[in-house]
Amino acid sequence: MGKKDKRIKLWKQILKYSIYTTVLLAVLLGFFWIDSVHRRYKKDLQEFRNSYMESQKNRVKHEVENALRYINFKKAQTEQQLKEQLKKRVYEAYSIAQNIYEENKQTKSKAEIKKLIIDALRPIRFNNDRSYYYIVNLQGVQQMYPLEPDNVDKDIQNRQDYKGKNVIRDELRVINEFGEGFVQDYSSKLGAESKKIYPKISFVKEFEPLNWYIGTGEYLDNVKQDIQKVVLQLLSSIRFDKQGYIFVNTYDGIPLIRDGEILKDAASSWELTDPNGVKVLQLQREAVRSPKGNFIEYSWRKLDGQEPVPKISFIMGVPDWQWMVGSGVYLDDLEAVVSVRRKEINQELFKTVSQIIIILIAVLILVYLFTNYLAQKIKYNFNILSDFFRSVVKSPSYLQPEKLKYEEFAQLGETVNKMLEKRLQAEKQLAEERELFISGPVITFKWYVRENWQLEYISPNIEQFGYEYKDFTTGSIQLSQIIYPQDRTRAMAEIDEFIKSDKELLEQDFRIITKDKRIVWVYDRMKMKRDEQGNVSSYYGYLIDITVRKKAEIEIENEKAYLENLFENSPECIVLVDKHSRIIKCNKSFTTLFGYSSEEVKGKNLDYLITKSEQISQAVELTAKAENGERVFTETIRYNKEGKPIYVSILGVPIIFSDRELEVYAIYRDITKRKVAEEKLRKTNEELKQLKQNLEKKVEKAVNDIREKDQMLMVQSRQAAMGEMIGNIAHQWRQPLNGLGLLIQDFQEAYEFGELDEKYLEKQTEKGMQLIQYLSDTIDDFRNFFKPVTKNKVFSIADTVRKTITMVESSFRDHNIKIDFQVEEDVKIMGLRNQFSQVIINILNNTKDAFAEHEVEKPQVWLHLSKIDGKAKLSIRDNAGGIPSQIKDKIFNSYFTTKQDNKGTGLGLFMSKTIIEKKMNGKITAENIADGAEFIIVV
């Protein structure tokens, strides 16, 4: 009893540990609560510091960015300002030259006027005497250059700048194209000690009266320096807050603005170091390597102080000017603001911690009172459960949950009742299952590692083989004795091997002999059991009758052997492939046909094995169809191992089991003999085809004869047009021949008046040669028109129409007929240019005849070229009264003409239609319009 009394009561432990836990939790909660508050206030202070710091950094960054925007604005004005200034100066010089020319052109020679202008412009200087005017004529000869007076009247077209750019030619190009403009080059400044190259912009303007252009130039660098002085003056005046200002240094460390003041001719501060060893200018140089600028920290004195204090500055670079522009904030000002905020936060923190401690003490008192009350209730419920467990040992009886006061204990009571009920049911079910197992087919056993497999246990259902389980457990029958003699040695060897191995499980099949001498197949599955030393002490497992399954397996093996024999000895070539077109197996017929052994083809891709490269894509496509469940059939060529082609028919069929495709089998059949017969049939067809072609040649010859007749008609048409052309030649030649006559007469008059000198002869000879060249060109144009051309070439419709108009223009002019040709869009086509020109001449000649017939007062022909659907459309219309309706449908017929007295052949429009529609695959039509006719040609 004493030992029992020393045990700790659970309800007291619950009360004690609940109090301990509550106190511990309260302490931890208080600690973490206070720590959380302290961290929050500390975080607030840090955030305030960071926020204030960020605002100050943003402020100085904003000031620097504003300075950069102003600098970029002024930089952008550099070139524009220079251009405006140069243009203004040249316009002033142009006005001076223009006034001098206008005042003296009636009284002085051009040489005198040139000198007056040069004398007026040469001494003019501007831009602090850096800039001046220069003059060059349009042949590239220098007329005035104040800095190089010795180069006047020299050809300077080939003058180049330091980068090899031909400046004078660029200026001449600008003058020729636009009359005025800007030109840029690179050169060194005259008088400068160094030969450094600077970009220079010049403005030139043409002075037409003297075939000159006037120009002036200025270096961008000079204008940039002027603008930089203005920028530095503004930046030095910027102030913000108490200590805020802008400072500027060059990339090589020369201060331009320091402490808000401009420094002139200051020495380099590249090695300037603050009290902490920071090289300030070098740190700034590193910062401006970033295009967006960067913040840096160092120490620097305030405007109103002497001692350096920590400072954060934002620096940005101006690469074009090699400037570092920055502004900063002093950290001691920041810490002063943060210190005030720190005092406020400490006061708030002390107040909050005091409140937390009071709250936690009150919570501890309440928790103790509640826990004590709860412990008493738990004690009562534990007593009820304790009484129940004592009673249930003696006799199974159910607990009454309604006596328990707490839901959890009531649920525990119900759970205990359910466990009790399940235990009773399990015991009953176990008894039933044991009875069922004993009567089932699975025989369990356990045997020792001893000779003859001495059994420790075997289930009673061994009776299904005619034995009683007592026969084995008593040792009257050994398990090894009932194994079929032919299987006994193998089974024992497998067990010995199992003992020596590390395997956990042994599975084997063997036959046994039943008590009534039947042979039965059994499946044996067993595991090893080891003793404390790790040695195998016994085996346990089960036996099950598999005689029915074994008979089925034997039948399947027989069926498989039958199918294998059928597959292997089939006269057809059969091959099985997997889902990746790899050969699984093939029969003898396949290896015989293609010359491979079964070992050579196994695992190889079927398509690549017996197919040439040019047929691979087709073979792969057929295989893919079969692999996708489609039945395919084709006839094609495959190649054996020696590369010999074999005509085969191919049948590909997918092997599908349970709606799932497993493999594909293909059947190849040699159809070479049939293909040979088909080839003979093909040759017969070829002979018939040859007979057909011979017949077609005869037909073609007849057609060519007809075409030759058409060609004769074409010649007749051109000969008919030749008469018209000779008249046109006469019209073209009349005026230049008259001019030659006048020139010859003028020679006699010049001789009589004493004007026949060398200069006169040169002038008159030149005029005569021009007239003779014109006559020669006219002959060439008409000769080219009549030149026979049979080869199609690409030609321009617009150029051809213009050439054709020139050949008839004189004749039309004599008849007061105006020709107007408008080009909306030119088109180039492939065809016979002369024949197309002949079509236009035929239409124009018919039009001219129509004007004469109807005596039109103001005859005119309009030609219009456009593009429609990628083709050329040429419209030719007139105001000659139109085509009579009774003949409108006949005008394109051969030998049809309305001209009297054999003046027409009736071939002109017929041949025009033949040329356009048969030789150029185009279309020609004619329609009447308001006061005339319109021919439309589409090619």
Side-chain angles (χ1 to χ4, degrees), residues 68-116:
L68 261 292
R69 277 192 284 272
Y70 174 70
I71 291 172
N72 290 331
F73 169 72
K74 297 301 288 183
K75 277 171 50 185
Q77 289 183 323
T78 301
E79 186 172 335
Q80 184 61 33
Q81 181 176 327
L82 176 58
K83 287 185 175 180
E84 292 175 357
Q85 184 185 52
L86 294 176
K87 187 175 182 180
K88 178 181 177 182
R89 289 293 185 179
V90 172
Y91 269 61
E92 290 173 357
Y94 182 87
S95 297
I96 293 171
Q98 184 70 31
N99 289 335
I100 293 173
Y101 179 80
E102 292 295 335
E103 290 176 1
N104 297 281
K105 67 180 181 180
Q106 301 297 333
T107 59
K108 291 183 174 59
S109 66
K110 286 190 176 181
E112 292 174 324
I113 294 174
K114 288 180 180 179
K115 186 175 184 308
L116 290 173

Side-chain angles (χ1 to χ4, degrees), residues 567-606:
F567 172 83
E568 191 65 30
N569 297 303
S570 172
E572 304 288 354
C573 303
I574 305 175
V575 60
L576 291 177
V577 297
D578 61 15
K579 291 286 286 183
H580 302 287
S581 303
R582 293 188 296 256
I583 297 175
I584 300 172
K585 63 187 301 185
C586 62
N587 64 359
K588 292 179 181 178
S589 298
F590 182 87
T591 58
T592 301
L593 179 63
F594 291 104
Y596 294 97
S597 67
S598 58
E599 290 76 14
E600 287 180 301
V601 302
K602 191 170 184 179
K604 299 291 180 62
N605 186 292
L606 176 62

Side-chain angles (χ1 to χ4, degrees), residues 593-596 600 609-610 612 638-646:
L593 179 63
F594 291 104
Y596 294 97
E600 287 180 301
L609 183 67
I610 60 174
K612 293 290 186 182
R638 292 294 182 261
Y639 297 84
N640 65 10
K641 185 177 181 179
E642 303 300 327
K644 179 183 176 182
I646 303 172

Side-chain angles (χ1 to χ4, degrees), residues 253-255 258 264-270:
I254 298 175
R258 177 175 289 175
K264 295 183 178 179
D265 301 325
S268 174
S269 299
W270 187 248

